[in-house]
Amino acid sequence: MEVDKELLVRKIKDGTVIDHIPAGNALNVIKILGLPRGKENRMAIIMYTSSSKMKLKDIVKVEGLELTSREVNMISLIAPTATINIVRNYVVVKKERVKIPDYFEGIIKCSNPNCVSNLERETAIPKFRLVSKKPLILRCLYCERHTYREDILRQFGIGR
Ligand code: CTP
Ligand code: ZN
């Protein structure tokens, strides 16, 4: 399967490889990260490729970008199986499995339109506790309302 991947896209020099994305979710991952951001972030999207660990997976390779921990957290909402590989001078210098944090702040919006965190005049930053990983359920710390994976995808204008 290594051959399969390398046939599609060559190795990158400096940047990030987001590997082991659940098949079909590469576009959701790039959307939630706000990619592509410009010419300096040359990128490759590989979808429905074979893998030994997962039957099929997606991969996103981005040159010239090292993700922040906040961005890694955002990926966990869409692709909880993803591995983040930081590449420097062609070598993977850091490999990290994304983790859904127990507490989120400011990344996503509460699903309740009347929540204080959604009122324009308020400055309440959205805050959530993780209720369940599978299915993904977050609970708003202001209004207690649950926010689901579908709400998050909708918020970023993506679906599936
Ligand atoms: N990769 C890349 N460019 C590099 C180095 C690695 O595009 N210069 C990609 C590889 O193609 C692979 C991912 O980054 O998709 C992780 O690389 P590596 O750790 O070498 O592969 P594996 O050992 O197969 O990773 P894992 O065990 O996480 O599956
Ligand atoms: Zn709320």
Side-chain angles (χ1 to χ4, degrees):
M1 55 257 107
E2 196 57 28
V3 174
D4 194 9
K5 283 188 271 185
E6 303 313 329
L7 274 177
L8 283 165
V9 177
R10 64 173 174 77
K11 295 201 175 294
I12 61 169
K13 183 169 186 284
D14 293 292
T16 301
V17 177
I18 308 165
D19 200 353
H20 304 291
I21 300 169
N25 279 284
L27 299 178
N28 292 342
V29 168
I30 66 163
K31 191 113 187 217
I32 208 168
L33 291 174
L35 291 169
R37 294 174 194 168
K39 288 193 289 220
E40 59 284 357
N41 295 141
R42 194 154 64 132
M43 55 188 280
I45 299 160
I46 303 158
M47 296 182 75
Y48 301 105
T49 192
S50 46
S51 145
S52 50
K53 288 181 200 160
M54 304 162 77
K55 262 192 227 127
L56 286 176
K57 66 171 181 181
D58 290 0
I59 307 172
V60 173
K61 300 190 182 195
V62 193
E63 280 188 328
L65 177 79
E66 292 191 7
L67 297 172
T68 63
S69 56
R70 181 186 152 92
E71 289 170 325
V72 171
N73 285 349
M74 288 166 69
I75 294 172
S76 75
L77 295 170
I78 301 293
T81 53
T83 315
I84 311 299
N85 298 274
I86 306 294
V87 176
R88 289 189 195 141
N89 203 19
Y90 293 104
V91 178
V92 174
V93 295
K94 194 174 163 212
K95 187 187 289 281
E96 157 187 25
R97 174 85 186 265
V98 304
K99 202 172 140 279
I100 303 179
D102 292 329
Y103 174 77
F104 278 96
E105 200 178 281
I107 294 173
I108 46 190
K109 288 187 202 148
C110 176
S111 60
N112 172 7
N114 298 320
C115 177
V116 66
S117 69
N118 279 323
L119 300 180
E120 255 173 52
R121 275 199 235 138
E122 300 287 337
T123 50
I125 306 160
K127 292 178 182 172
F128 302 91
R129 281 251 168 242
L130 182 66
V131 174
S132 153
K133 289 187 181 175
K134 211 174 174 182
L136 182 71
I137 305 174
L138 306 176
R139 179 173 49 81
C140 175
L141 292 191
Y142 299 100
C143 73
E144 307 280 316
R145 179 80 69 93
H146 282 176
T147 292
Y148 302 90
R149 177 186 160 87
E150 299 72 58
D151 298 314
I152 298 166
L153 292 177
R154 204 176 308 120
Q155 187 191 318
F156 286 91
I158 50 192
R160 209 174 90 88

